[in-house]
mmCIF file of all heavy atoms in Angstrom:
data_model
loop_
_atom_site.group_PDB
_atom_site.id
_atom_site.type_symbol
_atom_site.label_atom_id
_atom_site.label_comp_id
_atom_site.label_asym_id
_atom_site.label_seq_id
_atom_site.Cartn_x
_atom_site.Cartn_y
_atom_site.Cartn_z
ATOM 1 N N GLY A 243 -5.067 1.504 -15.334
ATOM 2 C CA GLY A 243 -5.148 1.649 -13.883
ATOM 3 C C GLY A 243 -6.336 2.487 -13.452
ATOM 4 O O GLY A 243 -7.036 2.150 -12.479
ATOM 5 N N VAL A 244 -6.567 3.587 -14.152
ATOM 6 C CA VAL A 244 -7.731 4.426 -13.850
ATOM 7 C C VAL A 244 -9.013 3.615 -13.997
ATOM 8 O O VAL A 244 -9.916 3.672 -13.148
ATOM 9 C CB VAL A 244 -7.757 5.664 -14.781
ATOM 10 C CG1 VAL A 244 -9.082 6.415 -14.650
ATOM 11 C CG2 VAL A 244 -6.590 6.597 -14.477
ATOM 12 N N LEU A 245 -9.099 2.825 -15.059
ATOM 13 C CA LEU A 245 -10.302 2.024 -15.299
ATOM 14 C C LEU A 245 -10.453 0.907 -14.268
ATOM 15 O O LEU A 245 -11.576 0.567 -13.872
ATOM 16 C CB LEU A 245 -10.275 1.456 -16.718
ATOM 17 C CG LEU A 245 -10.447 2.502 -17.818
ATOM 18 C CD1 LEU A 245 -10.033 1.942 -19.174
ATOM 19 C CD2 LEU A 245 -11.882 3.016 -17.872
ATOM 20 N N LEU A 246 -9.350 0.339 -13.824
ATOM 21 C CA LEU A 246 -9.417 -0.680 -12.776
ATOM 22 C C LEU A 246 -9.966 -0.093 -11.478
ATOM 23 O O LEU A 246 -10.669 -0.778 -10.722
ATOM 24 C CB LEU A 246 -8.030 -1.288 -12.535
ATOM 25 C CG LEU A 246 -7.558 -2.295 -13.579
ATOM 26 C CD1 LEU A 246 -6.082 -2.596 -13.398
ATOM 27 C CD2 LEU A 246 -8.371 -3.587 -13.503
ATOM 28 N N ALA A 247 -9.643 1.178 -11.207
ATOM 29 C CA ALA A 247 -10.185 1.841 -10.017
ATOM 30 C C ALA A 247 -11.661 2.176 -10.185
ATOM 31 O O ALA A 247 -12.442 2.108 -9.230
ATOM 32 C CB ALA A 247 -9.383 3.108 -9.721
ATOM 33 N N LYS A 248 -12.053 2.514 -11.395
ATOM 34 C CA LYS A 248 -13.434 2.950 -11.643
ATOM 35 C C LYS A 248 -14.422 1.796 -11.808
ATOM 36 O O LYS A 248 -15.601 1.918 -11.447
ATOM 37 C CB LYS A 248 -13.478 3.828 -12.907
ATOM 38 C CG LYS A 248 -12.979 5.243 -12.724
ATOM 39 C CD LYS A 248 -13.292 6.033 -13.980
ATOM 40 C CE LYS A 248 -13.088 7.528 -13.783
ATOM 41 N NZ LYS A 248 -13.613 8.304 -14.911
ATOM 42 N N LEU A 249 -13.973 0.689 -12.399
ATOM 43 C CA LEU A 249 -14.895 -0.381 -12.787
ATOM 44 C C LEU A 249 -15.737 -0.914 -11.623
ATOM 45 O O LEU A 249 -16.964 -1.047 -11.774
ATOM 46 C CB LEU A 249 -14.126 -1.515 -13.466
ATOM 47 C CG LEU A 249 -14.957 -2.702 -13.966
ATOM 48 C CD1 LEU A 249 -16.008 -2.247 -14.975
ATOM 49 C CD2 LEU A 249 -14.044 -3.764 -14.582
ATOM 50 N N PRO A 250 -15.158 -1.226 -10.460
ATOM 51 C CA PRO A 250 -16.002 -1.747 -9.374
ATOM 52 C C PRO A 250 -17.073 -0.766 -8.913
ATOM 53 O O PRO A 250 -18.202 -1.171 -8.585
ATOM 54 C CB PRO A 250 -14.993 -2.029 -8.250
ATOM 55 C CG PRO A 250 -13.670 -2.133 -8.913
ATOM 56 C CD PRO A 250 -13.733 -1.204 -10.076
ATOM 57 N N VAL A 251 -16.737 0.516 -8.894
ATOM 58 C CA VAL A 251 -17.706 1.539 -8.485
ATOM 59 C C VAL A 251 -18.778 1.705 -9.552
ATOM 60 O O VAL A 251 -19.965 1.892 -9.248
ATOM 61 C CB VAL A 251 -16.988 2.872 -8.208
ATOM 62 C CG1 VAL A 251 -17.983 3.947 -7.780
ATOM 63 C CG2 VAL A 251 -15.909 2.692 -7.151
ATOM 64 N N PHE A 252 -18.361 1.639 -10.810
ATOM 65 C CA PHE A 252 -19.312 1.706 -11.920
ATOM 66 C C PHE A 252 -20.353 0.604 -11.784
ATOM 67 O O PHE A 252 -21.567 0.844 -11.927
ATOM 68 C CB PHE A 252 -18.548 1.571 -13.243
ATOM 69 C CG PHE A 252 -19.416 1.464 -14.467
ATOM 70 C CD1 PHE A 252 -20.022 2.584 -15.011
ATOM 71 C CD2 PHE A 252 -19.613 0.231 -15.086
ATOM 72 C CE1 PHE A 252 -20.823 2.482 -16.142
ATOM 73 C CE2 PHE A 252 -20.409 0.125 -16.212
ATOM 74 C CZ PHE A 252 -21.014 1.253 -16.740
ATOM 75 N N ILE A 253 -19.898 -0.606 -11.490
ATOM 76 C CA ILE A 253 -20.798 -1.756 -11.407
ATOM 77 C C ILE A 253 -21.677 -1.693 -10.161
ATOM 78 O O ILE A 253 -22.893 -1.929 -10.230
ATOM 79 C CB ILE A 253 -19.984 -3.069 -11.421
ATOM 80 C CG1 ILE A 253 -19.255 -3.229 -12.754
ATOM 81 C CG2 ILE A 253 -20.893 -4.266 -11.152
ATOM 82 C CD1 ILE A 253 -18.248 -4.366 -12.765
ATOM 83 N N SER A 254 -21.083 -1.367 -9.032
ATOM 84 C CA SER A 254 -21.801 -1.477 -7.753
ATOM 85 C C SER A 254 -22.637 -0.247 -7.413
ATOM 86 O O SER A 254 -23.599 -0.348 -6.645
ATOM 87 C CB SER A 254 -20.812 -1.744 -6.612
ATOM 88 O OG SER A 254 -19.937 -0.636 -6.431
#
Side-chain angles (χ1 to χ4, degrees):
V244 170
L245 291 164
L246 283 168
K248 283 189 168 190
L249 181 59
V251 180
F252 173 78
I253 296 170
S254 65

